[in-house]
Amino acid sequence: MEMLKKLFSPITGTINYIQNHFKAMLFILLLIIIFAPASEDELSPNNLQKIALVGTIMDSSEVVEQINKAAKDDTIKGVLLSVDSPGGAVAPSVEIAYAIKRLHEKKPVVVYAKGTLASGSYYASIWADKIIANPGSMVGSIGVIMQGADLSGIMNKIGIKSQVVKAGLYKQVGTPDRAWKPYEVKELNKVIQGTYDMFTQDVADARKLDIKKRDIYANAHIFTAAQAKDVGLIDKVGVAYDAKEELVKLSGVSHPIWNKEDKFDKLIKKLATTTAVTLHTYFPNLSLR
């Protein structure tokens, strides 16, 4: 009996180990299935990079970091900037524009307007090799705006008065507690016009347009994709497929491999979506925003 126990001890030990650690092994197997590469392409580094610029531009740090990283990565042969943004603040839009300009000096860049390519997001895109816009997209709105409310009427009704101590004639420019004075409006116009001149000059330089004719393509005009092509703001009307093919041609890669969303990030997003649906099903008045 002892001989049989010794003879079969490796087998019984293995079975006991599997029984005791079955859940852990199942979890590891599940991770392997989820994160194992599905094809040889996933084992190879991508040679084309897609970067998304979506929503109002208030902070450029994440997009600029992606652009700079792609510029330094020798395995990346070209970048597609996919844009759907109404624009935003001046400074971050300029940051992205000049990051694209630096990238363009090293490798080809194609911008694809998938929805809206306007104002600051158009500024961000001007230095690309090619700009391709979806037929249903809106392009342009090359202009600068500063606005504020005059709350003096409602303040008077409520009985609120502001108190100010200042040094400098223009230090109170743009405050909402009163109507702006003519010399303050003139001061703001100086800033707005200076920014507009910078914007339109960069557009003219990047797109090789005549700055003297800026009222045709700038002046806050809003264009369809076809109209934008007619005035020189974009190079081609097309869809995402066309933009990708254009980048493949410019980059010269024979076997394009695009970057894909990280599988762990995708899994987390799926779990979050499932959780949100479940909560909405059982707690319909609870809103997740």
Side-chain angles (χ1 to χ4, degrees):
M1 192 67 178
E2 285 296 323
M3 182 67 71
L4 288 174
K5 285 184 177 180
K6 288 182 180 180
L7 183 63
F8 290 102
S9 62
I11 298 174
T12 56
T14 303
I15 292 173
N16 289 333
Y17 182 85
I18 292 174
Q19 289 176 336
N20 294 332
H21 300 86
F22 177 74
K23 291 182 179 179
M25 294 178 67
L26 187 62
F27 178 70
I28 292 171
L29 179 61
L30 181 62
L31 289 179
I32 292 172
I33 292 172
I34 292 174
F35 296 109
S39 65
E40 290 185 8
D41 284 353
E42 292 192 23
L43 293 171
S44 305
N46 58 291
N47 50 27
L48 295 175
Q49 181 84 16
K50 178 183 175 183
I51 298 174
L53 177 59
V54 180
T56 305
I57 303 171
M58 299 306 293
D59 178 20
S60 62
S61 55
E62 184 178 345
V63 173
V64 169
E65 183 181 354
Q66 292 180 64
I67 295 169
N68 291 339
K69 186 177 179 181
K72 294 175 183 177
D73 190 344
D74 293 334
T75 63
I76 302 298
K77 305 303 179 184
V79 173
L80 175 70
L81 182 66
S82 179
V83 183
D84 188 3
S85 166
V90 175
S93 300
V94 174
E95 287 282 356
I96 298 172
Y98 280 80
I100 290 292
K101 186 179 182 182
R102 293 191 300 270
L103 177 63
H104 157 76
E105 292 169 356
K106 294 184 175 183
K107 55 194 71 175
V109 184
V110 171
V111 165
Y112 174 58
K114 60 184 293 186
T116 303
L117 184 69
S119 196
S121 71
Y122 183 78
Y123 201 160
S125 307
I126 57 176
W127 296 104
D129 293 80
K130 298 286 183 180
I131 300 178
I132 298 174
N134 182 285
S137 62
M138 291 192 299
V139 182
S141 189
I142 298 173
V144 185
I145 186 172
M146 180 183 291
Q147 62 185 33
D150 178 3
L151 303 178
S152 57
I154 192 170
M155 288 174 66
N156 289 334
K157 288 183 179 179
I158 298 174
I160 298 175
K161 294 181 179 180
S162 62
Q163 301 182 96
V164 178
V165 177
K166 65 176 182 178
L169 179 63
Y170 300 101
K171 197 60 182 176
Q172 206 176 351
V173 166
T175 54
D177 60 341
R178 58 183 175 78
W180 298 343
K181 298 177 181 178
Y183 73 87
E184 293 176 318
V185 173
K186 186 177 180 181
E187 182 73 3
L188 292 174
N189 274 329
K190 180 184 71 176
V191 176
I192 296 299
Q193 193 60 49
T195 306
Y196 181 66
D197 289 342
M198 176 186 70
F199 191 171
T200 53
Q201 187 63 62
D202 276 351
V203 169
D205 292 343
R207 298 293 305 169
K208 296 180 174 56
L209 299 172
D210 187 349
I211 188 65
K212 295 179 182 178
K213 297 180 180 179
R214 69 179 183 179
D215 285 350
I216 296 174
Y217 56 82
N219 212 18
H221 286 300
I222 301 172
F223 303 101
T224 65
Q227 292 165 348
K229 184 177 183 298
D230 288 340
V231 297
L233 293 184
I234 68 169
D235 299 287
K236 183 178 179 180
V237 178
V239 293
Y241 174 86
D242 302 307
K244 288 184 174 182
E245 287 297 300
E246 184 68 32
L247 184 62
V248 170
K249 183 175 72 175
L250 290 174
S251 63
V253 297
S254 55
H255 183 54
I257 303 175
W258 293 87
N259 60 307
K260 295 182 179 179
E261 186 178 14
D262 183 83
K263 287 189 174 183
F264 182 75
D265 290 342
K266 189 180 290 186
L267 177 64
I268 294 300
K269 287 179 182 178
K270 284 185 178 179
L271 289 173
T273 302
T274 303
T275 303
V277 171
T278 303
L279 287 172
H280 183 71
T281 301
Y282 292 101
F283 304 98
N285 293 324
L286 180 62
S287 178
L288 301 177
R289 301 187 183 188

